[in-house]
């Protein structure tokens, strides 16, 4: 079992930055691939990006490439989403997710989910 808790959401102006954090707990948390997904009101959940267990592989949605960066610190069991050049269309609840398989992570097929953190970007 892996438990995930997100933090760092808030209100930011367009063009600004935020860093989301995800604290993972559980005996095997550091061996899991991690992902960030988001859901805006009235829309389906959308993949943002993922990182493999050792941080050497990442994948991003086209909509955030070049603006968002995922990183992890396995010593602290933390995963981060650095979001720069934020746009109003980035407004959503952001979820941290985990799965042991990197191929499943790239297919957005996660086993564990956090409760989400709200990000609101004003124009």
């Amino acid at each position: 079992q892996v438990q995930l808790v997100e933090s760092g959401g808030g209100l930011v102006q367009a063009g600004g930055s935020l860093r989301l954090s995800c604290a993972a707990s559980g005996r095997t948390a550091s061996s899991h691939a991690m992902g960030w997904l988001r859901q805006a009101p009235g829309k389906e959940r959308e993949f943002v990006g993922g990182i493999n267990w050792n941080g050497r592989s990442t994948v991003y949605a086209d909509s955030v490439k070049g603006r968002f960066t995922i990183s992890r610190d396995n010593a602290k069991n933390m995963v981060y989403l650095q979001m720069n050049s934020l746009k109003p269309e980035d407004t959503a609840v952001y979820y941290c997710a985990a799965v042991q398989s990197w191929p499943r992570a790239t297919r957005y097929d996660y086993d564990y989910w956090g409760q989400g953190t709200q990000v609101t970007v004003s124009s």
Side-chain angles (χ1 to χ4, degrees), residues 29-90:
S30 62
S31 68
H32 280 62
M34 303 294 290
W36 287 94
L37 299 93
R38 66 186 182 187
Q39 189 166 20
K43 295 188 177 181
E44 293 189 353
R45 191 169 292 181
E46 174 189 27
F47 178 75
V48 175
I51 188 167
N52 78 326
W53 74 273
N54 62 10
R56 292 179 183 170
S57 294
T58 55
V59 60
Y60 296 95
D62 288 343
S63 58
V64 306
K65 275 181 186 175
R67 299 189 299 123
F68 291 11
T69 303
I70 297 175
S71 61
R72 68 188 298 163
D73 183 342
N74 282 346
K76 297 180 180 179
N77 276 353
M78 295 293 295
V79 179
Y80 306 100
L81 179 65
Q82 178 66 45
M83 305 186 293
N84 299 328
S85 302
L86 282 161
K87 305 174 181 180
E89 51 264 42
D90 294 318

Side-chain angles (χ1 to χ4, degrees), residues 7-12 17-20 36 38-41 68 81 83 86-94 116-122:
S7 61
L11 174 65
V12 64
S17 298
L18 274 179
R19 189 177 83 154
L20 304 184
W36 287 94
R38 66 186 182 187
Q39 189 166 20
F68 291 11
L81 179 65
M83 305 186 293
L86 282 161
K87 305 174 181 180
E89 51 264 42
D90 294 318
T91 295
V93 176
Y94 283 72
T117 186
Q118 176 71 46
V119 171
T120 303
V121 184
S122 63

